[in-house]
């Protein structure tokens, strides 16, 4: 997979091409609303393709190429929207995933019994990448 900067550069190059085409065809360029609506449509198509891939939508033909295309379209829109709004997705992704993982761990500890030997109810400590790590309890090897 290309590094985030290459993905961003590729998305911006495609956006520039869209700008040229939309100037010619529509007399205007896409704004953030257009990209957001495009993203929503792509996600809807992606959902149908995934459901078909899993056998839940026999009315929709799904193949790997179609799934890859819709995933790519979704990523493109996200990259363009992030660029236009000044959001650093590369920096946000790990922190948002750490927050999500902590929330899931909290939900898990309140809905499931604690693993044997651990009765603290605390989520596991974070690892270097911000995601929960293994639970270490007194008397166990780390």
């Amino acid at each position: 997979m290309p590094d985030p900067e290459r993905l961003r550069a590729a998305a911006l190059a495609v956006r520039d091409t869209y700008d040229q085409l939309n100037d010619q065809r529509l007399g205007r360029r896409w704004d953030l609303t257009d990209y957001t609506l495009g993203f929503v449509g792509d996600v809807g198509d992606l959902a149908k393709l995934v459901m078909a891939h899993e056998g839940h939508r026999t009315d929709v033909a799904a193949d790997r190429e179609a799934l890859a295309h819709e995933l790519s379209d979704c990523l493109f829109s996200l990259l363009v929207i992030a660029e236009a709004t000044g959001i650093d997705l590369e920096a946000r992704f790990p922190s948002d995933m750490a927050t999500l993982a902590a929330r899931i761990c909290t939900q898990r500890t309140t809905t499931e019994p604690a693993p044997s030997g651990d009765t603290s109810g605390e989520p596991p400590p974070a690892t270097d990448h911000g995601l929960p790590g293994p639970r270490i309890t007194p008397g166990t090897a780390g």
Side-chain angles (χ1 to χ4, degrees):
M1 179 187 222
D3 66 74
E5 186 54 39
R6 284 187 62 204
L7 287 172
R8 185 179 149 282
L12 297 179
V14 171
R15 185 197 60 195
D16 290 343
T17 302
Y18 270 156
D19 283 348
Q20 293 171 13
L21 288 173
N22 286 324
D23 275 342
Q24 292 171 359
R25 292 181 181 172
L26 304 174
R28 69 174 187 87
R29 294 177 176 205
W30 276 20
D31 60 18
L32 284 179
T33 299
D34 294 310
Y35 283 107
T36 303
L37 291 173
F39 173 76
V40 170
D42 292 334
V43 168
D45 291 341
L46 179 60
K48 290 176 191 173
L49 290 169
V50 169
M51 288 187 294
H53 176 77
E54 293 178 342
H56 304 298
R57 288 287 303 259
T58 56
D59 60 318
V60 176
D63 60 37
R64 191 167 183 79
E65 184 65 26
L67 288 168
H69 174 78
E70 292 303 330
L71 280 168
S72 178
D73 278 357
C74 290
L75 180 57
F76 163 71
S77 296
L78 285 176
L79 291 168
V80 169
I81 292 167
E83 175 72 16
T85 57
I87 295 170
D88 183 353
L89 288 179
E90 188 177 3
R92 284 302 306 234
F93 188 77
S95 63
D96 289 340
M97 291 304 101
T99 301
L100 178 60
R103 195 166 42 222
I104 291 169
C105 286
T106 301
Q107 289 173 355
R108 185 191 74 216
T109 59
T110 60
T111 60
E112 293 180 10
S116 63
D118 181 7
T119 57
S120 69
E122 294 293 318
T127 60
D128 290 341
H129 48 75
L131 298 176
R135 218 178 266 279
I136 300 177
T137 57
T140 61

